[in-house]
Amino acid sequence: MAINQDLPLSDVELEELTEFFESKLVPDDAMNISMLHGYFTAIAIGPATVMPSEWLPKIWGEGGSPKLETLEHAQNAIGLIMRFYNQVIDTFMQTPEDFLPLMFEDEVDGKWVVAPEDWCVGFTMGVFLREEAWAPLFEDEESVGMLAPIMAFSVESAGGELPEGPMPDEVRKNFISLLPEAAQAIHAYWMPNRLKKPHGHVADSIPKVGSAKTGRNDLCPCGSGKKYKKCCGGAAKM
C-alpha cells in the first residue's frame, strides 16, 4: 500500500533516515540529516523553484549514488527523503511560526551544546542552487541582516569554512536562538516571489513530490521526467 507523501515522518522514521545517512550505504561526503534539513529549508523558503531532479543528486556529494541493493530499499530511502522534504514545506505553508532547525548536539567538556554548523551549511548549499535569485536579499541593506545568524556558522562557502578564532559563547548562543526567527523572516521576505507565476496567476506555493510507491518503469517521483529505473531507482542494483 502506498504511503501518503504528505504524512510527516514519525520519530522512528526520522531515526531510520538519520541512521541511513550515517551508514556506509551513502558516500562519505553525503549530507547528514541536519545538513539535509537546512538544505530543504532554503529550497522551501527561497525565491525560486528547485525541482527534486536537481536537488536530489547533490545530497550525495561527489561520491555518487547510495548503495541500495534492492528496489524496495531504494523506494523506502527515497520515499523517506521525499516525505522529509514535504514535511519542511508543509511547516512553512501551514505553521511557519512553529519551525525549528534540526540540529545536532555535541558533548564539549562534559556538557551538551547545540551544533548549528551542519544545518547552516546545508542551508547555504540550498541557497547556492539559485544564487542569482537570492542576490536581491544579499544586496538589500535593510533586510540582509536576517541572514546573519545563518552566515555566522557557514561563511564563506557551503563547505563549512568558518571564521578564524572561537566565537564568544554569548554571541554563539544568541545567533543559535535567532535561527528559527531568521528562517521565518526569510520565508516572509520571499513570499511574493513564490506566489507569482509568469502570467500573473497565483501559484499553489512550493511544489511537493507525489506518490511513494513507484515501479521501475514509472516516471520518477523526483520530477526529472525520466523513468524511475533510469533516475533515482538507478541506485538499486537488482
Side-chain angles (χ1 to χ4, degrees):
M1 182 176 64
I3 299 175
N4 183 353
Q5 288 290 74
D6 288 332
L7 190 66
L9 297 186
S10 66
D11 291 342
V12 172
E13 289 172 324
L14 181 59
E15 182 63 26
E16 180 182 350
L17 189 58
T18 300
E19 291 177 356
F20 170 70
F21 276 97
E22 292 175 349
S23 73
K24 297 296 184 180
L25 296 173
V26 301
D28 291 340
D29 60 344
M31 295 183 183
N32 59 39
I33 197 72
S34 182
M35 291 177 67
L36 185 63
H37 191 257
Y39 185 62
F40 283 165
T41 301
I43 294 169
I45 68 177
T49 298
V50 184
M51 295 303 293
S53 54
E54 181 178 353
W55 58 248
L56 184 60
K58 297 184 184 299
I59 290 174
W60 315 120
E62 300 297 327
S65 301
K67 300 174 183 177
L68 303 173
E69 296 181 351
T70 67
L71 177 60
E72 182 178 2
H73 196 183
Q75 287 175 330
N76 183 62
I78 298 301
L80 290 176
I81 291 170
M82 296 302 185
R83 284 172 57 202
F84 191 46
Y85 165 77
N86 284 346
Q87 185 174 335
V88 175
I89 291 174
D90 280 337
T91 298
F92 282 102
M93 288 177 63
Q94 299 173 18
T95 55
E97 66 278 6
D98 293 338
F99 173 79
L100 290 172
L102 179 59
M103 298 180 289
F104 291 122
E105 288 188 343
D106 292 336
E107 188 173 7
V108 180
D109 297 329
K111 296 181 180 180
W112 290 97
V113 296
V114 176
E117 287 81 3
D118 285 343
W119 188 89
C120 293
V121 168
F123 188 99
T124 306
M125 292 176 71
V127 170
F128 283 173
L129 291 174
R130 290 292 183 274
E131 190 172 0
E132 291 185 4
W134 280 81
L137 176 54
F138 285 91
E139 297 166 0
D140 186 337
E141 293 183 1
E142 293 185 0
S143 301
V144 69
M146 63 182 65
L147 288 165
I150 300 170
M151 296 297 104
F153 300 108
S154 61
V155 202
E156 303 202 343
S157 72
E161 185 178 325
L162 301 175
E164 293 183 5
M167 186 183 297
D169 287 345
E170 288 304 313
V171 174
R172 180 181 177 85
K173 289 178 182 178
N174 186 49
F175 275 136
I176 292 173
S177 70
L178 290 173
L179 286 173
E181 182 180 334
Q184 293 156 13
I186 295 168
H187 170 257
Y189 182 88
W190 289 123
M191 181 66 78
N193 290 65
R194 291 193 304 274
L195 294 180
K196 288 180 181 177
K197 275 191 173 182
H199 302 294
H201 300 297
V202 177
D204 296 328
S205 193
I206 312 150
K208 298 196 292 183
V209 291
S211 63
K213 199 68 174 178
T214 309
R216 289 182 61 77
N217 291 310
D218 294 338
L219 290 178
C220 188
C222 80
S224 66
K226 300 178 182 179
K227 289 186 177 181
Y228 184 67
K229 65 183 180 183
K230 295 291 186 180
C231 193
C232 298
K237 307 294 191 299
M238 299 300 291

